[in-house]
Each structure stands twice: as structure tokens, then as C-alpha cells.
Amino acid sequence: MYNEAEGATMTNGKTATLAGLRYFIRTFGCQMNENDSEHMAGVLVQAGARPADSPESCDILIVNTCAVRKKSEEKLYSYLGRLATLKKKRPGLVIGIAGCVAEIHQAELFGRKPGPDFLIGPDRYQDLARVVAQASRARSLETGRDGLWHEFGPEAVIRESPVSGYVTIMEGCDNFCAYCVVPFARGREKYRPLPNIVREVEDLARRGYLEVQLLGQNVNSYRDPETGRPFAALLKAVAAVEGPSWLRFITSHPKNFTNETIEAMGGSPKVCRELHLPLQSGSTAVLERMNRGYSRDLYLDLVRRLRRALPGLSLSTDIIVGFPGETEEDHRATLDVLREVRFANIFSFRYSPRPLTAAARLADDVPADVKARRLVEVQALQKSIQLELHRSFIGRILTVLVLGPSKKGGRLLAGRSEGHQVVNFVPAVEDVGRFAQVCVTSAGPYSLRGEEALTA
Ligand code: 5AD
Ligand code: SF4
């Protein structure tokens, strides 16, 4: 499919090695992966490729993978099975696997029949156009890490949303939580220079973005590589950029959350009163075995300090049930913390052993049916808490960032409140990409419903 004759020089001076080709990227996993896919799309477009609407109509198909839980990997392998059928029909199609699974399961993926045409790890995306061009001639493997920060210029990002923009501030993780594969798949922490982050935010501001979300596996340990300035200084610098009204960041680690960061959040009305603060377990004994670096009391104390400084703060969290050795008492401790904190949202998972991790050496000794029951209990309790919280919003007017049509259909639009709740509402005007004042009329456990309040 690669045709030298098609190479042409683009306005940016780069050679359009992929001119005339169409790409499709399927993304699994977290916001970090979504942002990586936006970078990959940017690199492909700079090389002359154009987006395709579906896997059936593309020449280059990239699967951006997630290895964080066994379930995410299983979904990936079933997707790859479907792609094998597509490849049989269209042998010229170039299929590549990117992301965490490409990094940690290289041999296994390359050994599949038919295997992918290329594998590319998270540290190599700036070389994607060359790798794609090569892969049409010979299978290629581009993984491994050099420990350096790789900057993508603002022009090398094709953003999914015209309203809310992701900005990556750091990569990798040094924490080695016992269950987590991320430090092996993404490597050690490396930080993006603060001026580059501010420039990207200014670029988003110029293009009319209303919300900026700072991304990293562990944002609180951010340090500007030049000056050593911490995350709190970055937050202040980004909040000072005129334009975007809302600023969020994800993911925070409770053990690295400083008072300075709490003050920086409180000091700017732009920083949304919303925070994702993974707890994982409410039992100090389990947290210790997980190597999380905080106890239940420390976590609860942090929540109290945050809520004191940021009234109305909406908190969300991650919970793992059935970590090795988790007793009924440990499980009840987790339920107790859910009752005490009253999170606005949680993401809850059954523990699954991951390759290379410390916990993979422990016996996975909580039986599958016990894990399943504990997960149901966590989710049922959380559902009732969310329903109560959401009902308390009925009759109130919320500011909502309007993101697009609602999944509920009809004329409804959907957006997010400052607390990150999904709000489906009857609009007064059809436009998206704006803030609306919405009067909440009803509430379910997972979303709010309302009507746009008419402003004078
Ligand atoms: N098993 C279950 N859940 C896991 N997570 C990470 N690793 C595992 C694992 N081995 C969950 C954690 C993390 C979220 C992104 O995924 O809760 O915060
Ligand atoms: Fe994984 Fe822990 Fe790092 Fe989060 S902080 S990415 S859970 S090792």
C-alpha cells in the first residue's frame, strides 16, 4: 500500500509518506490512551493520511490497547479475532497494535496468526508514520523506552472533542502498587516541561476550548524537569491562562497530595470542585499489602482537609475487591469508607493478577464467587448513595458544559456538571460547546435530568 511516488512535501515541511491513505484508531482504556490516540492521529495526518469512518474503509488500522486489568486484555483479544477476519478479506490492510499490551506482550502478539503488521509502544508514537510505511513492506516492532520526554507539537494532535481538551503533563509511574502493571507497561515517571504544558493550554484557549483536563498516571508527583517546580505551581500557571473556564486533573495519588495543591485548588475558581482520588481498599492491612503508601485514616484525613478547603467537593474513586488475603472484615472496612465519604462516583473492579507485578507472586486466594459477591455489594451500596446524592440536586440549577446529543435520544443534549455528573437536559437552544444553566428535574443513580433555565 505504501507508494513512494505518492510521497509529497506538506506545508509543515514533512514528507507525506502516507498521502492518500485512510486510518482508523480503536482505543481501549483510560483518558491517557485516548490522548495518545489523539497524538497518533496527529502524526498520521501530518504524514498525509486522513481519518476513515470505520475499520472496513481504512488502509491503516491501529488498536491502542490497555493492559491494566485482565478483562481489558480479554476484550482486546476478541477484537483482534474480528480483525483477523477483516485481514483475510483485505490482505493489503496494515494492522498495528499500540499501547500497554504492545509493550508487555510483544512475543505473544507477534506470534499470533495472522499477527499484526507492527507493534508500537507508548514511547515511540512520534515515529508512527515511518513505522506504518515500513510495516507495509516488512513486519516491524517498535517498543522499549529511552526514559525521555517526547514532545508532540500542538499541530500533531487531532482532538476528539472541540470543547474539552486533554493535556498530558507526565508519563509513567514510580509507585509500584502491588497489583498494577502500569510501571512496567509505561515505564518510570517522566515530566513534561512546564512551559510546553502552558503553551498547549494557550493553544486550546485560542481555539475556544472551554475545559482543560491535565493527564498523568500520578499527577501529584509532577515536577517541572527544568526548575523542579511542583504540581501546585503548574496548576496555578495553567489556571492563569485566559480562556478555558474549567480545569480538571487526573489521576491523583492520595500519598502525594500536598497542602500546597489543596491551596492552589482553593485559590482558583477555575479548578473544578471535583477530584478522582483512588482509594482501592478501606482496610489499612490491605492497603499495606497493596503498597499504596497510606492508611485508611490518612485517606479519610485527606478527604476532610480537602472538603474543608473546597466546600461542595465532589469525589470519585477506584475500588478493587478480592485482593489476595482480603477478609470479610477488610471488605466491610471498604463498605464503611464508601458510607463515610459518600463518593459521587466509583469505578470498582475484581482483582486480577497481572504479569510482572508483585501481587502476581501472591496466591490469588479470594474465590471467584466471593469476589463477585463483594463487587455486587460495593456496587449496590454505591448505587443507593449516588441516588440519594443525585436526588438532593432536584430543584437546583447547575452549570453544565454541553458536550453533545444525549444518549437518551430525542432533542436532549448531554453535558457534565462541575462535579462531573452526567446531565441530560431539554435545551433552550440547540448549540453544543457552551455552558448552560440547567434546572434539575429528576435524578437516577448514574445521571441527572433537567431543563435549560431561560436566562434574561
Ligand atoms: N486488578 C483489578 N483492578 C486493577 N486496577 C489496576 N490493576 C488492577 C488489577 N490487577 C484498577 C485500580 C486502578 C484502576 C485504573 O484499575 O483500581 O486504580
Ligand atoms: Fe498503578 Fe499505583 Fe501507579 Fe496508579 S499509582 S498507575 S495504581 S502503580
Side-chain angles (χ1 to χ4, degrees):
M1 55 134 239
Y2 170 67
N3 182 352
E4 300 275 357
E6 277 182 318
T9 303
M10 309 278 288
T11 46
N12 58 17
K14 299 207 173 169
T15 304
T17 48
L18 306 177
L21 299 177
R22 298 207 162 249
Y23 71 86
F24 185 85
I25 305 178
R26 169 79 162 87
T27 309
F28 290 87
C30 61
Q31 290 96 331
M32 202 79 190
N33 265 12
E34 285 172 28
N35 192 225
D36 284 348
S37 292
E38 294 178 338
H39 286 144
M40 285 193 270
V43 172
L44 295 174
V45 166
Q46 280 195 313
R50 290 287 165 266
D53 297 331
S54 67
E56 286 72 26
S57 61
C58 71
D59 309 291
I60 307 159
L61 201 153
I62 297 171
V63 191
N64 191 4
T65 61
C66 170
V68 80
R69 287 175 300 275
K70 190 143 186 264
K71 209 166 161 187
S72 30
E73 252 183 46
E74 285 164 358
K75 273 203 267 174
L76 163 74
Y77 283 108
S78 93
Y79 187 71
L80 292 182
R82 276 188 278 150
L83 290 189
T85 320
L86 197 63
K87 178 93 177 173
K88 261 190 215 142
K89 281 194 230 150
R90 296 179 42 216
L93 173 67
V94 169
I95 297 182
I97 302 182
C100 297
V101 182
E103 193 64 50
I104 60 169
H105 288 312
Q106 304 172 7
E108 204 176 318
L109 286 169
F110 244 29
R112 285 169 69 91
K113 294 226 169 11
D117 297 295
F118 68 90
L119 292 183
I120 187 162
D123 251 12
R124 299 297 172 104
Y125 296 152
Q126 72 283 3
D127 296 329
L128 181 63
R130 175 184 58 75
V131 174
V132 170
Q134 270 172 5
S136 59
R137 296 186 291 259
R139 295 177 83 198
S140 88
L141 177 68
E142 294 281 330
T143 53
R145 281 179 287 272
D146 55 15
L148 303 173
W149 178 263
H150 297 284
E151 185 66 35
F152 291 85
E155 69 284 0
V157 193
I158 302 294
R159 294 184 182 277
E160 284 293 312
S161 165
V163 188
S164 176
Y166 293 131
V167 176
T168 296
I169 65 164
M170 54 93 64
E171 263 275 356
C173 184
D174 292 349
N175 282 324
F176 291 92
C177 299
Y179 51 81
C180 185
V181 76
V182 167
F184 306 97
R186 294 265 180 182
R188 297 302 94 77
E189 291 178 4
K190 47 190 184 170
Y191 311 118
R192 185 177 185 191
L194 192 148
N196 301 13
I197 298 170
V198 170
R199 260 199 301 279
E200 186 169 353
V201 175
E202 284 168 350
D203 181 66
L204 289 171
R206 265 192 299 277
R207 292 197 275 145
Y209 276 76
L210 298 176
E211 179 178 76
V212 168
Q213 304 195 54
L214 305 180
L215 296 183
Q217 264 86 25
N218 193 13
V219 292
N220 312 95
S221 56
Y222 176 84
R223 289 269 174 285
D224 176 25
E226 278 290 306
T227 62
R229 294 170 78 202
F231 180 65
L234 172 69
L235 206 53
K236 284 186 198 154
V238 169
V241 175
E242 249 176 71
S245 312
W246 278 1
L247 178 57
R248 303 179 194 274
F249 52 90
I250 192 167
T251 298
S252 296
H253 195 304
K255 86 175 158 63
N256 300 120
F257 217 104
T258 60
N259 281 336
E260 232 183 326
T261 298
I262 300 179
E263 277 163 29
M265 291 175 76
S268 170
K270 280 190 183 181
V271 181
C272 289
R273 281 10 186 183
E274 178 265 332
L275 190 65
H276 185 66
L277 196 64
L279 167 68
Q280 312 299 0
S281 168
S283 152
T284 296
V286 174
L287 288 170
E288 246 168 51
R289 287 204 303 283
M290 286 178 164
N291 191 30
R292 287 290 288 172
Y294 55 87
S295 63
R296 166 202 176 97
D297 286 348
L298 262 165
Y299 185 95
L300 290 174
D301 181 57
L302 174 60
V303 167
R304 271 189 289 276
R305 284 186 289 131
L306 279 161
R307 286 200 160 140
R308 211 176 303 130
L310 303 157
L313 179 73
S314 172
L315 284 166
S316 63
T317 203
D318 290 346
I319 299 289
I320 297 176
V321 301
F323 185 76
E326 186 190 66
T327 62
E328 280 306 312
E329 200 186 334
D330 294 324
H331 169 59
R332 278 197 300 275
T334 299
L335 297 175
D336 278 349
V337 176
L338 295 185
R339 276 188 210 99
E340 183 164 343
V341 177
R342 294 172 69 77
F343 292 100
N345 196 9
I346 69 165
F347 300 87
S348 50
F349 313 101
R350 257 174 282 206
Y351 168 73
S352 56
R354 306 306 296 131
L356 309 170
T357 59
R361 293 193 292 272
L362 304 173
D364 183 14
D365 57 359
V366 178
D369 59 331
V370 174
K371 282 185 193 166
R373 194 246 310 145
R374 289 181 187 168
L375 188 67
V376 167
E377 285 175 7
V378 161
Q379 292 177 345
L381 169 62
Q382 180 59 24
K383 188 174 171 185
S384 67
I385 292 171
Q386 277 177 216
L387 192 58
E388 276 175 27
L389 282 175
H390 282 179
R391 283 193 176 140
S392 71
F393 282 101
I394 295 176
R396 281 172 57 187
I397 291 183
L398 295 180
T399 302
V400 173
L401 180 58
V402 189
L403 296 167
S406 162
K407 286 189 195 142
K408 307 265 177 199
R411 287 187 53 227
L412 291 183
L413 293 181
R416 294 260 184 188
S417 64
E418 182 179 342
H420 220 227
Q421 282 112 345
V422 174
V423 184
N424 298 297
F425 67 99
V426 182
V429 285
E430 302 299 320
D431 314 2
V432 300
R434 63 187 173 96
F435 287 103
Q437 298 301 310
V438 175
C439 179
V440 179
T441 51
S442 64
Y446 306 113
S447 62
L448 302 171
R449 206 179 258 249
E451 282 167 21
E452 184 164 3
L454 291 173
T455 42

